[in-house]
Amino acid sequence: MAHFFNYDKGENRHRIYGFEVKNENDELVGYRPVVQRYPKNGGISEQISDQYPLLKWKIFSTEKLARDFAIEFFGSL
């Protein structure tokens, strides 16, 4: 599902998902929100979530919480 945000005037599509974070014992710790930006007219995607420290270092207990936080974060920019 593509999301469009006002911070880039709706020029790009965004894919938002929760990436599994595991510890050294291969146990699931939580989910980190990951946001990839895709140009509307095609082209190479780029992961933009790592450019925002408030988003990069957050870990949530469920994938849905991670996605919802990322949607709210980029919606408020």
Side-chain angles (χ1 to χ4, degrees):
M1 181 159 130
H3 295 276
F4 295 90
F5 297 108
N6 291 332
Y7 85 93
D8 67 349
K9 300 178 183 134
E11 293 178 5
N12 299 294
R13 295 176 292 164
H14 296 77
R15 179 177 176 225
I16 301 170
Y17 59 95
F19 182 78
E20 288 184 351
V21 177
K22 294 183 178 183
N23 65 10
E24 63 277 357
N25 296 326
D26 206 32
E27 298 167 337
L28 182 65
V29 174
Y31 296 88
R32 186 171 70 86
V34 175
V35 181
Q36 293 178 326
R37 180 171 53 197
Y38 295 87
K40 256 188 194 177
N41 301 325
I44 298 174
S45 69
E46 63 178 319
Q47 184 171 321
I48 60 170
S49 52
D50 288 347
Q51 298 173 7
Y52 298 93
L54 288 175
L55 195 64
K56 181 178 181 178
W57 301 111
K58 293 268 189 191
I59 296 179
F60 296 89
S61 59
T62 67
E63 185 178 6
K64 182 179 179 346
L65 288 174
R67 284 184 287 135
D68 290 346
F69 180 81
I71 291 168
E72 185 178 318
F73 180 82
F74 279 98
S76 67
L77 290 180

